[in-house]
Amino acid sequence: MFDIMIKNANLATPQGNMPKSGKAQGEILIQNNVDIGILDGKIAKIAPRGELGTPAQEVINARGRLVTPGLVDSHTHLVFGGFRQNELQMKLAGAQYLEILAAGGGILSTVKATRAASFDELCDKAEGFLNDMIDHGTTTTEVKSGYGLDFETELKQLEVVRKLNIHHDMDLVATFMGAHAVPTKFAGNADGYVNLLINEIIPKMADEGLAEFCDIFCEDSVFNVEQSRRILQAAKKHGFKLKIHADEIVDLGGAKLAAELGATSAEHLIAASDEGLQALAQSDTIAILLPATSFYLGKPYARARDMVNLGIPVAIASDFNPGSSPSFNMQLALTLAYIGYRLHPCEALTAATLNGACAIGLGETKGTIEVGKDADIVVWDCPDLDYLFYRFGNNQVYTVIKNGGVTYEID
Ligand code: NIG
Ligand code: FE
């Protein structure tokens, strides 16, 4: 007896446990009229309609709707105090993202609000976001700290992630990002903060064991390449896997550094040079691209087509944060990836599922609908993949299946 059966699904899924690149990024399995049996939270059987051969306690009749793996949001800054609606008008009036940061706003204003917020406040707020994210089809989320810039607050953020990972249906992967900005206390002395990170904060954070990855904002007037290299080498020594916010606004050489250090992912890459892309193409690093951030900051779209053509595995994520992307809607990110990056819907689906899962170390269990994988599944109120990408702005989820249960149903 299955726990759940999804009946009459129009299945679209990438396949396998490894990141897909080049032509393979767009090769997904599309199979109409299938039934999917779920047992103990895992995908137990996939068969042509009517051929599962075993009954189920609960039957979801997809009636020919599109069924995909749950979306994997591989880059978010989910846990933060306050919001920054005041900055949008400044940006529209011409203020640049890095200028706002240099004036003590931007990330630094969220740092103030996050330090001031209690653990429970941060937890309740993030929990509300997670509820909405699942309702919008995201079933696994990476979360970066980085709004503390001191040990105590960074730890508070990561403890929120741990608590929510235990109590919430969403699966979470934590990233320590103490090098998200230079804290006000160290203004003009970035090296002083880098030394503190290397000598104290990173070793202590490694002992806490709350984060699998370490990320850094390698950017003009934030952390330069040499500082980034030192921090990431220290993090690697202490057992963290590496991520880099690389070449988001200025081409500093972050993509090259990611390749050099064997980082799991290089993220943003809007300004990455040909040389940076060539280095990534020769590495195992996954490019995590964030189309909603390009849209929201009025920046160019990253060169996703070139990346796919060069054989770099591309993932897509929301970059949900209170400044450069106050949206966690992965459906919007998919449509922007289609229109802004010119990724084909099949390539973009792989980017938002399997490649995203691989970029946070979960390719073995997440990102595809295959027997043995976790039953993280979305039934969309759409007839096919093209339709999912064509509509935008409304929530197209029909039902989400997560942890052996149905978390969202519209009728
Ligand atoms: O990925 N670029 C750095 N970090 C975030 C923005 C964080 C913020 O503005 O609060 C990003 O865009
Ligand atoms: Fe980010």
Side-chain angles (χ1 to χ4, degrees):
M1 178 81 106
F2 294 122
D3 296 328
I4 302 174
M5 158 176 155
I6 305 172
K7 196 170 127 176
N8 195 10
N10 282 357
L11 180 65
T13 179
Q15 292 174 285
N17 301 340
M18 301 294 285
K20 299 288 178 186
S21 59
K23 202 165 150 274
Q25 169 131 17
E27 287 167 357
I28 66 167
L29 175 74
I30 296 190
Q31 216 178 341
N32 290 344
N33 301 316
V34 297
D35 294 346
I36 302 167
I38 295 165
L39 186 63
D40 296 332
K42 303 272 179 210
I43 297 163
K45 192 167 176 184
I46 305 171
R49 190 175 172 184
E51 293 179 24
L52 267 192
T54 311
Q57 275 178 12
E58 184 173 359
V59 177
I60 297 165
N61 192 345
R63 292 197 171 84
R65 289 182 174 89
L66 173 70
V67 172
T68 72
L71 303 179
V72 177
D73 193 344
S74 53
H75 179 142
T76 82
H77 306 255
L78 176 92
V79 180
F80 56 85
F83 283 98
R84 309 217 300 266
Q85 62 271 47
N86 57 315
E87 282 177 16
L88 183 53
Q89 205 174 14
M90 291 161 70
K91 277 185 256 181
L92 292 176
Q96 294 296 312
Y97 180 77
L98 292 176
E99 284 171 8
I100 296 173
L101 176 61
I107 294 171
L108 290 174
S109 86
T110 300
V111 167
K112 267 195 210 128
T114 307
R115 287 181 182 173
S118 70
F119 177 87
D120 287 344
E121 281 164 355
L122 291 176
C123 215
D124 289 351
K125 183 169 170 182
E127 185 184 5
F129 294 144
L130 290 179
N131 294 340
D132 284 349
M133 289 164 82
I134 288 203
D135 288 353
H136 283 75
T138 299
T139 50
T140 301
T141 302
E142 185 259 10
V143 184
K144 301 172 196 298
S145 67
Y147 291 127
L149 310 183
D150 58 27
F151 177 74
E152 216 186 3
T153 317
E154 293 288 321
L155 187 66
K156 180 170 69 175
Q157 285 190 276
L158 292 172
E159 277 173 342
V160 167
V161 179
R162 173 177 56 184
K163 182 170 175 192
L164 291 171
N165 196 28
I166 294 169
H167 296 289
H168 199 278
D169 269 331
M170 185 77 80
D171 283 306
L172 300 175
V173 172
T175 297
F176 166 61
M177 198 173 176
H180 195 192
V182 179
T184 315
K185 206 171 129 189
F186 286 87
N189 179 22
D191 279 327
Y193 184 55
V194 171
N195 290 337
L196 181 73
L197 279 167
I198 292 174
N199 299 326
E200 284 184 35
I201 300 184
I202 288 176
K204 272 163 76 182
M205 214 41 103
D207 286 347
E208 295 290 339
L210 293 182
E212 199 174 325
F213 292 91
C214 178
D215 196 347
I216 173 161
F217 193 12
C218 177
E219 183 58 71
D220 189 28
S221 64
V222 189
F223 297 102
N224 64 31
V225 170
E226 196 37 48
Q227 290 162 339
S228 302
R229 183 184 284 112
R230 285 181 61 214
I231 293 170
L232 290 170
Q233 277 171 340
K236 196 172 182 175
K237 207 180 92 201
H238 283 90
F240 290 100
K241 292 189 267 178
L242 308 183
K243 294 179 165 290
I244 309 186
H245 276 58
D247 305 329
E248 175 178 357
I249 318 268
V250 175
D251 173 36
L252 274 198
K256 246 176 99 180
L257 181 66
E260 172 196 319
L261 296 176
T264 305
S265 56
E267 321 199 351
H268 284 287
L269 299 170
I270 291 173
S273 63
D274 287 342
E275 208 190 336
L277 296 193
Q278 288 294 348
L280 286 179
Q282 266 136 50
S283 74
D284 290 330
T285 302
I286 298 172
I288 299 182
L289 304 184
L290 307 154
T293 309
S294 288
F295 168 76
Y296 204 74
L297 292 182
K299 296 281 174 198
Y301 285 90
R303 293 159 58 197
R305 272 263 55 88
D306 290 345
M307 294 181 202
V308 171
N309 292 342
L310 282 166
I312 301 166
V314 169
I316 293 166
S318 73
D319 194 19
F320 177 49
N321 75 73
S324 62
S325 179
S327 168
F328 47 66
N329 188 341
M330 286 289 285
Q331 296 169 55
L332 182 65
L334 286 175
T335 296
L336 292 175
Y338 193 13
I339 295 173
Y341 294 154
R342 300 298 155 112
L343 289 185
H344 186 276
C346 293
E347 295 171 323
L349 181 70
T350 300
T353 55
L354 179 60
N355 283 2
C358 293
I360 54 174
L362 294 178
E364 299 280 325
T365 50
K366 309 277 185 199
T368 71
I369 297 181
E370 289 174 295
V371 171
K373 286 234 185 172
D374 291 351
D376 296 356
I377 298 174
V378 183
V379 182
W380 301 95
D381 201 13
C382 300
D384 55 40
L385 204 54
D386 284 344
Y387 187 95
L388 174 65
F389 283 70
Y390 140 81
R391 294 288 302 274
F392 85 106
N394 59 315
N395 184 11
Q396 303 189 75
V397 165
Y398 177 73
T399 297
V400 177
I401 291 104
K402 178 73 183 162
N403 295 335
V406 178
T407 63
Y408 180 77
E409 243 181 320
I410 57 169
D411 58 5

